[in-house]
């Protein structure tokens, strides 16, 4: 088997459904590279860059966290938001970061939401600055 099927799904749509040579995923504790023949696994995604190698070219996507399942040559990504790196708005990401950082730290639930918003904005900024 020389390819994987990659499916990226958001609540609104299927963002990507294609055969690829490899996938690099942003897990919550680092990146994971996936090649054909990978063992089955389930993982939790963090906000960041998902890279896809296909036909000698690399495609980059921003994913907003979520989950990944790898089984029988299929990589299924379930995320709240996915967009091509070229569509990430650097100005909007910087504004979101500034807003999240300026939020007061209060209750534990609000602090967790604030940290999540900061991580998402930082990931978008890293991706947009590469484009």
């Amino acid at each position: 088997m020389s390819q994987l099927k990659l499916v990226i799904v958001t609540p609104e749509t299927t963002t990507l459904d294609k055969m690829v040579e490899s996938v690099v995923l942003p897990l919550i504790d680092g990146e994971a590279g996936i090649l054909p023949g990978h063992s089955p696994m389930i993982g939790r995604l963090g906000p960041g860059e998902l890279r896809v190698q296909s036909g000698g070219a690399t495609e980059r996507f921003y994913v907003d966290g979520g989950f990944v399942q790898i089984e029988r040559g299929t990589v299924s990504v379930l995320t709240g938001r996915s967009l091509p790196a070229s569509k990430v708005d650097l100005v909007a990401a910087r504004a979101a970061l500034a807003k999240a950082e300026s939020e007061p730290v209060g209750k534990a639930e609000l602090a967790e939401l604030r940290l999540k918003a900061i991580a998402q904005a930082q990931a978008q900024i890293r991706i947009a600055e590469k484009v």
Side-chain angles (χ1 to χ4, degrees), residues 76-91:
S76 301
V77 173
L78 307 171
T79 182
R81 184 167 51 146
S82 166
L83 41 123
S86 61
K87 301 276 187 200
V88 176
D89 184 338
L90 181 58
V91 173

Side-chain angles (χ1 to χ4, degrees), residues 92-128:
R94 286 185 174 148
L97 177 61
K99 181 180 182 221
E101 289 178 335
S102 69
E103 291 290 326
V105 178
K107 294 181 181 178
E109 303 87 35
L110 296 176
E112 187 174 322
L113 289 174
R114 178 180 179 265
L115 291 175
K116 181 178 178 182
I118 288 170
Q120 290 170 335
Q122 288 173 333
Q124 290 178 48
I125 290 167
R126 282 192 305 273
I127 292 167

Side-chain angles (χ1 to χ4, degrees), residues 46-78:
E49 182 181 57
L50 182 147
R51 294 187 303 277
V52 179
Q53 186 73 30
S54 178
T58 301
E59 292 179 83
R60 300 172 189 282
F61 295 85
Y62 169 76
V63 292
D64 218 12
F67 297 91
V68 61
Q69 177 182 358
I70 302 164
E71 187 175 36
R72 293 188 295 262
T74 299
V75 179
S76 301
V77 173
L78 307 171

Side-chain angles (χ1 to χ4, degrees), residues 23-42:
V23 180
V24 177
L25 302 164
L27 299 176
I28 59 168
D29 57 353
E31 288 188 332
I34 310 299
L35 295 170
H38 196 285
S39 298
M41 82 173 233
I42 294 176

